[in-house]
Amino acid sequence: MKKKTMMNVVSAGIYQLVLFVSNLIIPRLILVYYGSECNGIISSITQMLSLVSILRLGIAGSTRVELYKKLSINDVQGTSGIIRATQEFMRKITLAIVIYIGILAIFYPYMMDSMYSRKEIMALILILGLGTCSEYFFGITYMTLLDADQKMYFYTGIRCFLTVFNTVLVSWLMIVGTSIYSVKFTTTIIFMLCPIILNICVPKMYLLKKNVAADKSALKNRSHVMASSIANIIHENTDVVILTFFSTAKMISVYSVYNLVTAGLKSVISVFTNSLEPLFGRLWALKEYGKVRKGLHVYELLIAAFVSIIFSAAFLLIVPFVSLYTKGITDINYILPVYAVLVMLTQIVYCIRLPYLTIVQAAGKYKETKGANYLEAALNVAISMILTIKLNLYGVIIGTLIANLVRTLLYANYIYKELLPERETGMLKKMIWMCANMMISMGVYNAIESMVFLKIENWADWILYGILIVLISTVITLSSAIIFYRKDIKYILSFTDKRNGK
């Protein structure tokens, strides 16, 4: 089990690094060769298409919980039945997605005030929608199986290769003057290969039986999982959707540039978090609750340490990053320091919630937490819509921040009051420890900056000073962890020691 977890962490780390670099290169080239308006429209359409994930109705989460049980006892018949039921459900969803894309292609061009014609916008929607359909029809079912069995390294390996290939090819296409439609169609075709490969290989890997009755009982929990799915979807997509209705394509472009930073931070942390849910899921299925509780404590510490180190740097470097990234782009102002602070605070709250979200999903406690999920979704939409009319970009981020904070507190309360009952003082101490580390780290960096007159003027400076602040915050965080959390550090080291078994 430990070996699989480490393989997932390493492969996910490589993939997220590749993805982050790709997400830096391609949007920058779009800004340079096609402008902020084109970048904003593509970001908006992409987010609108992402809304179709709500049609899954919690199917992936519900299926994954049941697969933990079947895989833990090597039940091939049971696993095959769950996969068959999931495939049948996903095919129905694919039809609904086709209808949604058709409706979006007809009405979306009227929503966006743009220099692009309605036919041009419609073409982009259909091109991007093609990739969405292929993922749902061919890929999600087998991705869920790999995830439940802690073998996502197979999927991330394929995606890593395709991402590199796509980045190189479409970058060349943009540089030589290819139309944005050809560029996006090329990307769609390349990434359609991934679900096709999964469809061919995964059934053979698990010796899945074709002539088996669909186990629809495995989907019984999906209505409760749906609440969590809706909250997550709204968290990821509300901002752009609301900006689409109440703002402009150029303002969406500003949002998307700052989102590059948050996406990068999420990709770093997802390297670890995506690999931990299957581990906790198996422990819960085996009723090893003591190990789950200990794992949660360590998980909280790791998240607090991650936030201390990475966000100390992010707070100081996000505005210089945006300034360098949009250098030469003058059709709208991208430098918004207050917005940058709000973005970072929102992501910190999101990170703090991850341990509780992971445990809830691993234990399949969707019904018990659906109230918190629906509340977050309602708050996010309502507050964002009201504030965006007056505050534009600031309105959506404030709405997301408040909704995130409420759901995080409710999840933590459920974990410590109901699921794994104990006092919450340990969590509160970690949060105080985290904030203290960040303040000390940023204070030390600012003192050094004032003494030697540091100034970021190019990417080399940005990287150099980024390394400096990360080193400072790492030393401070690890030193304080050794003082206050010595036992947890020993536990983490024992987990990564291969001599302790797989």
Side-chain angles (χ1 to χ4, degrees):
M1 191 181 294
K2 293 180 180 181
K3 182 178 180 180
K4 285 184 179 180
T5 301
M6 294 307 298
M7 288 177 66
N8 280 331
V9 168
V10 172
S11 63
I14 296 172
Y15 171 58
Q16 293 298 343
L17 177 61
V18 169
L19 185 62
F20 179 64
V21 173
S22 175
N23 287 340
L24 288 179
I25 295 172
I26 293 177
R28 169 63 185 177
L29 292 176
I30 291 175
L31 284 171
V32 171
Y33 292 102
Y34 307 104
S36 294
E37 189 160 340
C38 180
N39 186 52
I41 289 173
I42 291 172
S43 297
S44 176
I45 293 173
T46 300
Q47 294 299 105
M48 294 295 284
L49 288 171
S50 297
L51 290 176
V52 301
S53 57
I54 201 171
L55 296 172
R56 282 186 283 178
L57 301 175
I59 190 70
S62 178
T63 299
R64 192 166 56 244
V65 170
E66 296 301 319
L67 284 172
Y68 292 148
K69 301 173 184 177
K70 301 299 181 183
L71 292 169
S72 65
I73 58 175
N74 297 315
D75 184 355
V76 176
Q77 182 81 12
T79 300
S80 300
I82 293 173
I83 293 301
R84 179 67 179 274
T86 307
Q87 286 176 323
E88 291 179 359
F89 191 86
M90 295 309 298
R91 285 167 185 165
K92 295 176 183 178
I93 288 178
T94 304
L95 177 60
I97 291 172
V98 171
I99 296 172
Y100 171 78
I101 292 172
I103 294 172
L104 192 65
I106 294 171
F107 291 103
Y108 178 88
Y110 292 93
M111 295 161 47
M112 184 62 66
D113 182 17
S114 170
M115 66 178 185
Y116 290 90
S117 70
R118 290 168 183 167
K119 290 183 179 179
E120 289 173 327
I121 295 176
M122 183 183 295
L124 278 174
I125 293 172
L126 294 176
I127 290 169
L128 295 172
L130 178 61
T132 301
C133 288
S134 67
E135 179 182 2
Y136 275 78
F137 190 80
F138 290 111
I140 287 181
T141 300
Y142 295 122
M143 283 173 55
T144 303
L145 176 56
L146 291 171
D147 190 9
D149 197 33
Q150 293 182 276
K151 291 183 179 179
M152 279 297 281
Y153 52 81
F154 181 79
Y155 168 77
T156 52
I158 298 170
R159 291 286 297 190
C160 188
F161 172 78
L162 293 178
T163 300
V164 172
F165 180 62
N166 176 71
T167 302
V168 173
L169 182 56
V170 301
S171 296
W172 176 77
L173 289 174
M174 285 188 277
I175 291 171
V176 299
T178 307
S179 71
I180 190 63
Y181 313 102
S182 298
V183 169
K184 287 301 173 182
F185 184 72
T186 300
T187 295
T188 295
I189 296 300
I190 289 173
F191 284 109
M192 281 177 65
L193 294 174
C194 185
I196 292 173
I197 293 172
L198 292 182
N199 197 64
I200 295 171
C201 296
V202 174
K204 296 178 181 178
M205 291 170 57
Y206 289 89
L207 303 176
L208 296 177
K209 299 179 180 180
K210 295 182 179 179
N211 300 319
V212 65
D215 181 9
K216 295 183 180 181
S217 65
L219 313 183
K220 63 183 183 296
N221 200 36
R222 70 173 186 271
S223 61
H224 303 308
V225 181
M226 179 176 64
S228 179
S229 299
I230 290 174
N232 292 335
I233 291 163
I234 289 177
H235 168 77
E236 296 292 338
N237 300 289
T238 294
D239 295 352
V240 171
V241 173
I242 290 177
L243 288 173
T244 298
F245 283 98
F246 297 103
S247 191
T248 65
K250 289 183 179 179
M251 192 59 71
I252 295 173
S253 180
V254 175
Y255 173 89
S256 70
V257 169
Y258 281 89
N259 196 51
L260 288 174
V261 179
T262 61
L265 294 172
K266 285 182 179 179
S267 69
V268 173
I269 198 168
S270 69
V271 170
F272 304 98
T273 58
N274 289 348
S275 303
L276 289 176
E277 185 187 328
L279 175 61
F280 280 115
R282 288 205 168 196
L283 290 175
W284 192 269
L286 296 171
K287 298 183 179 181
E288 297 187 19
Y289 303 128
K291 290 184 179 180
V292 174
R293 181 180 281 106
K294 179 61 178 177
L296 172 61
H297 294 162
V298 173
Y299 196 173
E300 287 177 330
L301 178 63
L302 290 174
I303 291 295
F306 171 85
V307 171
S308 299
I309 295 170
I310 301 301
F311 280 86
S312 296
F315 267 112
L316 296 169
L317 297 174
I318 182 171
V319 173
F321 168 85
V322 172
S323 178
L324 291 171
Y325 191 81
T326 60
K327 188 175 182 180
I329 310 299
T330 57
D331 50 3
I332 191 170
N333 177 33
Y334 282 86
I335 311 303
L336 305 171
V338 175
Y339 178 75
V341 171
L342 292 172
V343 168
M344 290 298 101
L345 289 175
T346 301
Q347 294 309 308
I348 287 175
V349 174
Y350 169 81
C351 289
I352 292 171
R353 183 175 71 214
L354 287 174
Y356 316 120
L357 179 65
T358 300
I359 298 298
V360 165
Q361 293 181 168
K365 300 300 181 181
Y366 294 99
K367 179 180 179 180
E368 293 80 357
T369 55
K370 67 179 181 181
N373 297 325
Y374 283 132
L375 180 59
E376 184 202 16
L379 287 174
N380 202 340
V381 173
I383 296 173
S384 296
M385 287 183 65
I386 293 170
L387 295 183
T388 300
I389 296 173
K390 294 288 186 181
L391 302 177
N392 208 325
L393 198 61
Y394 296 92
V396 292
I397 197 64
I398 292 173
T400 302
L401 174 58
I402 294 173
N404 264 353
L405 183 59
V406 169
R407 187 182 176 194
T408 298
L409 293 174
L410 290 175
Y411 263 54
N413 183 69
Y414 171 73
I415 292 290
Y416 283 109
K417 292 289 178 64
E418 304 293 338
L419 197 61
L420 299 169
E422 63 177 316
R423 297 177 63 186
E424 299 178 45
T425 53
M427 177 198 72
L428 295 175
K429 288 178 181 178
K430 290 187 183 76
M431 296 304 101
I432 295 171
W433 173 75
M434 176 191 76
C435 293
N437 286 332
M438 292 179 65
M439 288 189 289
I440 294 171
S441 298
M442 289 188 285
V444 171
Y445 176 83
N446 286 329
I448 295 174
E449 182 182 39
S450 62
M451 286 189 293
V452 298
F453 304 104
L454 298 177
K455 188 176 181 181
I456 298 177
E457 297 181 338
N458 51 54
W459 285 112
D461 291 339
W462 189 86
I463 293 172
L464 178 64
Y465 300 148
I467 293 172
L468 176 61
I469 180 59
V470 168
L471 286 175
I472 291 171
S473 57
T474 299
V475 170
I476 291 171
T477 299
L478 290 182
S479 298
S480 62
I482 291 172
I483 296 172
F484 295 106
Y485 295 103
R486 186 185 300 271
K487 290 183 180 179
D488 289 321
I489 292 176
K490 288 182 179 179
Y491 181 82
I492 295 170
L493 292 175
S494 70
F495 181 83
T496 57
D497 190 345
K498 293 183 178 179
R499 291 174 298 176
N500 289 333
K502 298 181 182 180

